[in-house]
Amino acid sequence: MAESMPSAMDYPEHERTYAGFINFSKVGTIAVLNVVLCLLLFTFGGGAGTFFGWVAMVATLVTAAIGMAIGEKGWIPPAIVFVVAGLLAIVTTA
């Protein structure tokens, strides 16, 4: 009868999984915002906007991968790309 009882929950593993999910959510949200900025640059930025849009898109992919590897502070690299892409969007679409 004791063999059919479920084992106790592995709380450290549960907390590690939850922390990974939260990190993925942060990095993913900022990456989606970066893609929206890149689309804005492609649409309204002209030639320079298209160039900077592609640069920002590649930087988004690279920093999202780095952010997933870093862990808890992984949202910072994509956030830096978001700020730079936002400034480029303001300059090229104005």
Side-chain angles (χ1 to χ4, degrees):
M1 185 64 81
E3 292 177 16
S4 65
M5 297 296 292
S7 62
M9 184 161 172
D10 187 5
Y11 284 103
E13 183 64 25
H14 170 73
E15 290 174 359
R16 190 178 71 79
T17 302
Y18 180 72
F21 170 76
I22 295 298
N23 182 47
F24 179 78
S25 298
K26 289 177 189 176
V27 172
T29 300
I30 296 172
V32 167
L33 292 173
N34 283 339
V35 170
V36 170
L37 273 177
C38 291
L39 291 173
L40 176 89
L41 284 167
F42 293 146
T43 304
F44 300 112
T50 302
F51 173 75
F52 289 130
W54 279 113
V55 170
M57 184 67 75
V58 170
T60 296
L61 294 173
V62 171
T63 57
I66 291 170
M68 290 305 298
I70 288 175
E72 185 178 335
K73 300 286 184 186
W75 61 272
I76 295 173
I80 292 170
V81 173
F82 179 74
V83 170
V84 171
L87 292 174
L88 288 171
I90 290 171
V91 170
T92 58
T93 59

